[in-house]
Amino acid sequence: PLPHEVLIQVSHAGVCRTDLSVIYNKIQTPTPLIPGHEFSGRVTGTGSQIPIDSLGTRVTAHPLLPCLNCPTCQIQLNACPDAQFLGIDRNGAFAEFICVPFNSTFVLPPEVSDLKGAYTEPVAASLAVLNAPIQPQEKGFIHGSNRIAQLTSDILALRGFQDIIMAENIPEGTSFDFIIETQGDKSPFSKLVKALRPK
């Protein structure tokens, strides 16, 4: 590991649609490259700037790694224009070991297993919809039936949203207060916008 990094022995790694896009060359990446960005593991080595008591800690990591040097990083790390994504810009977690910056790791509490810990990133991605100005009494549509769609539906249900439809296709003649797109496909976007109620 570099001075600001930790070496993690990977315990579990999830396979994401993004990883499949990398594997099938649908996303341009350096080659050769190890994919994978959803994972959990144990710290087995530390860089010179990292406390030695981090050894043995069970962690997961944020896959978007900021440069830490630009002016944006001084304000908001997750908006870094030069950030690198694990498994796309640099080697990822489909390996026995991975090095990541220490400040990108998150300690897994004892009640979260290594398997569940590897699921942290997709759950966080789904939780991001709660940053939008949507309300539980509104009618929503989740476009897709994939893992992120199901996770998002579950999270909205836990937050009291009851009028949510999840499907591959927009129901004819129905309009919605909000729509969440999970397919990553641009082609139906204009139809989705038309299915939104005014304002």
Side-chain angles (χ1 to χ4, degrees):
L2 295 173
H4 67 291
E5 292 182 333
V6 289
L7 176 69
I8 299 169
Q9 184 172 15
V10 177
S11 170
H12 290 76
V15 180
C16 173
R17 180 174 53 203
T18 304
D19 300 316
L20 297 177
S21 295
V22 169
I23 291 166
Y24 293 116
N25 295 316
K26 293 180 180 177
I27 296 176
Q28 279 194 321
T29 63
T31 54
L33 178 90
I34 300 169
H37 61 275
E38 309 170 0
F39 73 99
S40 65
R42 192 174 300 274
V43 175
T44 58
T46 59
S48 59
Q49 299 173 2
I50 308 305
I52 195 76
D53 62 4
S54 301
L55 287 172
T57 305
R58 294 186 320 113
V59 296
T60 186
H62 194 307
L64 189 66
L65 309 178
C67 75
L68 303 177
N69 297 317
C70 70
T72 305
C73 279
Q74 308 310 312
I75 302 165
Q76 188 176 357
L77 289 176
N78 65 357
C80 174
D82 298 315
Q84 292 188 321
F85 201 85
L86 287 177
I88 294 178
D89 302 306
R90 60 183 272 176
N91 284 327
F94 291 171
E96 292 181 66
F97 294 89
I98 184 173
C99 284
V100 298
F102 177 68
N103 66 3
S104 293
T105 63
F106 296 88
V107 176
L108 296 176
E111 63 272 18
V112 176
S113 67
D114 288 356
L115 179 62
K116 289 179 180 176
Y119 218 50
T120 303
E121 192 273 343
V123 171
S126 291
L127 278 167
V129 302
L130 298 175
N131 293 330
I134 57 177
Q135 302 298 324
Q137 69 275 13
E138 294 177 327
K139 182 173 186 165
F141 177 65
I142 299 173
H143 181 234
S145 59
N146 53 63
R147 178 179 63 158
I148 292 295
Q150 187 59 60
L151 273 172
T152 304
S153 177
D154 292 346
I155 284 165
L156 290 176
L158 286 169
R159 291 297 177 101
F161 289 78
Q162 295 179 354
D163 196 2
I164 305 290
I165 296 171
M166 182 177 69
E168 296 280 348
N169 299 305
I170 306 162
E172 290 290 329
T174 308
S175 58
F176 300 92
D177 297 305
F178 65 90
I179 295 176
I180 300 166
E181 202 291 307
T182 69
Q183 299 281 65
D185 179 9
K186 296 176 184 173
S187 57
F189 198 76
S190 61
K191 289 182 181 177
L192 294 174
V193 172
K194 286 179 183 175
L196 283 169
R197 289 180 179 145
K199 301 190 177 183

